[in-house]
Amino acid sequence: MSEFNEFDQQGSAPNRETGSIISHAFEMYKGVLGYAVVAMIVYMLGGYIIQLIFGIDSASMVEEMRESGGNFNYWSTPGLPLYMGASSLFGLLLSPLYVGLIYIVNKYNTKNPIEFSDLFIGYRQNFVNILIYSLLTWLISSVALALCVLPIIFVYPLLLIGYPILLFENASAIDALSKSFNIAKENYGTFLATGLLGVLISFAGIFLCGIGLILTAPFIMIVMYSTYCAYLGKPRQIMFKQP
């Protein structure tokens, strides 16, 4: 069975304040930007291929939504239900990539050499729990969105550090969800402000003709890592050992 071997390394951790956490995340992000861009390119290419398979033109669909005046019927669009299902499945299968990016950030923070294969560590370590956790958070977020946009704003901070817990503590999906919820509940104001600011920065790329999302979207994953460091301490660098 695979396992992690841990050892202490140098590195930084922010204070338990939103400004300190976001500042720390920026410093980390500058060091791993190339890997973050690769992760986003993989995600966007996959989404584009799925669109081609199901004959969906997202640009045309957005234009139709604008012209419909709010009366656009998603489910009457040919191929859209299957496309939405395939996109959701694709997003779920890519969730270990997010964990890999967090792993790379920790290697950068602890001044350890980074390898390209590190981006895929989530597919080798705790893979099933990462998928289960991603599915659970997707369900929770979907219910929150169905109740209107506002609930997801208040629910999201409770899920903020689940992925780092899955990686650094090799936790089960339920344990990661429970621990993230409990820590965020006790420090909700900071988690809410940090999560909102992290999401806003991540979506800032929309204003750069959309392509800027490749640069900004992964930032929220770095915010998760920095928040974990602030509240649970800088994790010791973990090295994956083959069976």
Side-chain angles (χ1 to χ4, degrees):
M1 180 179 294
S2 62
E3 60 181 20
F4 277 125
N5 180 32
E6 303 182 272
F7 52 94
D8 290 314
Q9 292 289 335
Q10 298 297 315
S12 62
N15 298 324
R16 295 182 176 184
E17 300 170 353
T18 296
S20 180
I21 293 171
I22 295 297
S23 178
H24 183 268
F26 267 121
E27 289 302 313
M28 296 296 103
Y29 195 56
K30 287 188 294 184
V32 301
L33 180 59
Y35 296 97
V37 168
V38 169
M40 270 306 297
I41 289 175
V42 170
Y43 183 85
M44 296 182 75
L45 281 177
Y48 178 70
I49 291 171
I50 292 174
Q51 287 187 42
L52 291 179
I53 292 174
F54 291 95
I56 300 295
D57 185 343
S58 58
S60 298
M61 189 170 65
V62 170
E63 186 61 31
E64 287 181 32
M65 290 171 63
R66 289 175 179 173
E67 295 175 353
S68 69
N71 296 318
F72 182 79
N73 188 341
Y74 292 89
W75 307 114
S76 67
T77 303
L80 184 58
L82 283 175
Y83 165 71
M84 295 295 289
S87 294
S88 298
L89 179 60
F90 178 69
L92 183 66
L93 293 176
L94 274 191
S95 56
L97 207 62
Y98 311 148
V99 174
L101 183 57
I102 293 172
Y103 177 62
I104 285 176
V105 175
N106 192 53
K107 290 190 90 174
Y108 174 76
N109 190 26
T110 53
K111 299 177 175 59
N112 277 273
I114 298 173
E115 299 177 4
F116 183 75
S117 60
D118 292 334
L119 192 58
F120 304 98
I121 195 173
Y123 294 96
R124 295 175 284 155
Q125 173 67 26
N126 216 10
F127 174 69
V128 173
N129 279 302
I130 291 170
L131 291 188
I132 294 174
Y133 177 84
S134 300
L135 177 60
L136 291 175
T137 55
W138 178 80
L139 290 172
I140 292 170
S141 299
S142 297
V143 171
L145 281 172
L147 297 175
C148 195
V149 175
L150 195 58
I152 189 61
I153 295 175
F154 296 103
V155 168
Y156 183 75
L158 300 173
L159 312 173
L160 192 60
I161 59 173
Y163 282 124
I165 292 172
L166 286 166
L167 173 63
F168 298 119
E169 302 178 22
N170 207 26
S172 69
I174 299 300
D175 287 344
L177 190 63
S178 175
K179 187 168 185 175
S180 179
F181 178 88
N182 289 330
I183 294 174
K185 181 181 65 175
E186 296 298 323
N187 306 277
Y188 189 72
T190 302
F191 271 68
L192 177 61
T194 301
L196 283 176
L197 191 54
V199 169
L200 287 174
I201 294 172
S202 293
F203 280 96
I206 290 177
F207 300 104
L208 300 174
C209 300
I211 195 170
L213 275 174
I214 295 177
L215 298 176
T216 62
F219 182 72
I220 188 61
M221 308 308 300
I222 319 302
V223 171
M224 293 179 182
Y225 171 77
S226 295
T227 306
Y228 179 93
C229 289
Y231 283 90
L232 292 171
K234 179 185 64 65
R236 293 177 293 173
Q237 178 54 41
I238 46 184
M239 299 296 292
F240 184 77
K241 292 176 64 177
Q242 297 293 342

